[in-house]
Structure formats: structure tokens, C-alpha cells
């Protein structure tokens, strides 16, 4: 895996978590700007998904097994969009809390992906 991309995804996810957490603190639901932030984080996660698949296609293998690596890779791609969809059904501050939690989950998944790959 590309270490710089992993760090970028994790940092962007933590920034999104802080931003949505601050909105929840201010008793605000997710707004359009939050969804733009979620889209940016999702595009970074998509880039990581593509890089991971390309590396697997070139014959590189993760240290801790391919199945678990692919599961974490797909899960990291789906974490923020799933939280965003859930926040649409909860148009209170708890929608912002949901996105913040999803972004923290993504950051943790990034650390685990790094570990699985052999970092």
C-alpha cells in the first residue's frame, strides 16, 4: 500500500470527524458542506481501493492474508458513505454524530489496513 495515501485518508477522516463533531456540539445536523467533505474523503478511500486492487493484481500480497485485507479495504471504502446515508435519516445533531463516528471508524480501519499490509 502507499503509506502517503493511507495517512492522507486517515487525516482527512479525522478532520471530517472533528468538523462533524463540532457541528454536533453546536446542535446542528449535517449540511451540504459536510456532504462535500464526505465526498472528498470517499474519493480518497476509492483511490486507496483502486491502488490496493492494482497491487494485488501485480502479485503483491499483504502479510496477514488477502481475504482480510480485501474485507478491510472494502469496509474502509464503505464507512463514510454508510454514515452519510444514515445521517440523512436523522436530521438532528445525531446525524452529525453518526458521520463523526463513521469517520473515526475509517481512521481506525486505515491503521489496521497499514498493519495488515505489513507496515
Amino acid at each position: 500500500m502507499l503509506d502517503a495515501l493511507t495517512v492522507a485518508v486517515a487525516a482527512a477522516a479525522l478532520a471530517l470527524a472533528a468538523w462533524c463533531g463540532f457541528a454536533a456540539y453546536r446542535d446542528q445536523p449535517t449540511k451540504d458542506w459536510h456532504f462535500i467533505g464526505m465526498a472528498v474523503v470517499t474519493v480518497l478511500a476509492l483511490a486507496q481501493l483502486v491502488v490496493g486492487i492494482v497491487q494485488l493484481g501485480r502479485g503483491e500480497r499483504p502479510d496477514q492474508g488477502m481475504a482480510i485485507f480485501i474485507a478491510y479495504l472494502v469496509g474502509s471504502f464503505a464507512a463514510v458513505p454508510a454514515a452519510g446515508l444514515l445521517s440523512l435519516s436523522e436530521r438532528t445533531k445525531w446525524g452529525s454524530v453518526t458521520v463523526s463516528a463513521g469517520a473515526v471508524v475509517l481512521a481506525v480501519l486505515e491503521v489496521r489496513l497499514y498493519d495488515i499490509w505489513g507496515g
Side-chain angles (χ1 to χ4, degrees), residues 44-87:
L44 286 171
L46 176 63
Q48 185 178 42
L49 177 69
V50 170
V51 166
I53 290 171
V54 166
Q55 286 184 326
L56 290 175
R58 290 191 315 189
E60 298 178 37
R61 297 290 178 247
D63 286 351
Q64 296 184 17
M66 191 178 337
I68 194 163
F69 176 74
I70 292 172
Y72 271 88
L73 200 59
V74 171
S76 68
F77 172 69
V80 170
L85 285 174
L86 285 172
S87 76

Side-chain angles (χ1 to χ4, degrees), residues 14-117:
L14 289 175
L16 178 65
W19 187 23
C20 290
F22 183 67
Y25 173 75
R26 294 181 55 199
D27 214 17
Q28 296 177 341
T30 49
K31 306 231 190 245
D32 291 342
W33 291 107
H34 296 117
F35 285 100
I36 292 171
M38 286 183 256
V40 169
V41 172
T42 302
V43 166
L44 286 171
L46 176 63
Q48 185 178 42
L49 177 69
V50 170
V51 166
I53 290 171
V54 166
Q55 286 184 326
L56 290 175
R58 290 191 315 189
E60 298 178 37
R61 297 290 178 247
D63 286 351
Q64 296 184 17
M66 191 178 337
I68 194 163
F69 176 74
I70 292 172
Y72 271 88
L73 200 59
V74 171
S76 68
F77 172 69
V80 170
L85 285 174
L86 285 172
S87 76
L88 285 174
S89 66
E90 184 62 47
R91 301 303 294 169
T92 64
K93 75 173 185 175
W94 296 107
S96 295
V97 170
T98 302
V99 173
S100 184
V104 170
V105 166
L106 175 58
V108 171
L109 288 173
E110 291 300 311
V111 171
R112 184 68 179 120
L113 271 172
Y114 179 77
D115 187 45
I116 291 169
W117 188 259

